[in-house]
Amino acid sequence: WLERPAAPVNSEASARLTLKESLKGSSFQKRLSLLGSTGSIGTQTLEIVDACPENFVIDALSAGTNIELMAEQVMKYSPKI
């Protein structure tokens, strides 16, 4: 279903292509609450949200000590909590 294979995912471009193709035609919207949004898994999750913003809503964010990044995320995603 891909014109060119996107796997293995060894670059940001191939990861975005794989994600975009796998979600093509989907009509769901997931609500997310991220614990540790400034950590590696949290930031990677937000990259997926950025790639497919029509499929995700950020309801809540939490972070440890990276206040600057947390402030940026709050401004960008406008979580309820």
Side-chain angles (χ1 to χ4, degrees):
W1 52 274
L2 292 175
E3 291 179 19
R4 58 187 169 97
V9 176
N10 54 8
S11 71
E12 183 176 342
S14 63
R16 288 187 185 275
L17 177 61
T18 300
L19 180 63
K20 187 176 215 171
E21 289 297 324
S22 65
L23 292 176
K24 189 183 284 184
S26 64
S27 61
F28 68 90
Q29 190 171 57
K30 295 288 183 183
R31 304 181 76 79
L32 301 177
S33 296
L34 290 177
L35 304 177
S37 66
T38 61
S40 62
I41 295 173
T43 55
Q44 290 172 20
T45 300
L46 292 173
E47 287 175 9
I48 293 171
V49 170
D50 290 340
C52 302
E54 64 279 356
N55 296 118
F56 301 99
V57 173
I58 303 298
D59 279 340
L61 296 172
S62 72
T65 58
N66 193 339
I67 297 168
E68 292 84 16
L69 181 54
M70 177 66 165
E72 290 174 23
Q73 291 173 344
V74 167
M75 296 301 291
K76 183 174 184 177
Y77 300 103
S78 302
K80 294 177 183 176
I81 300 174

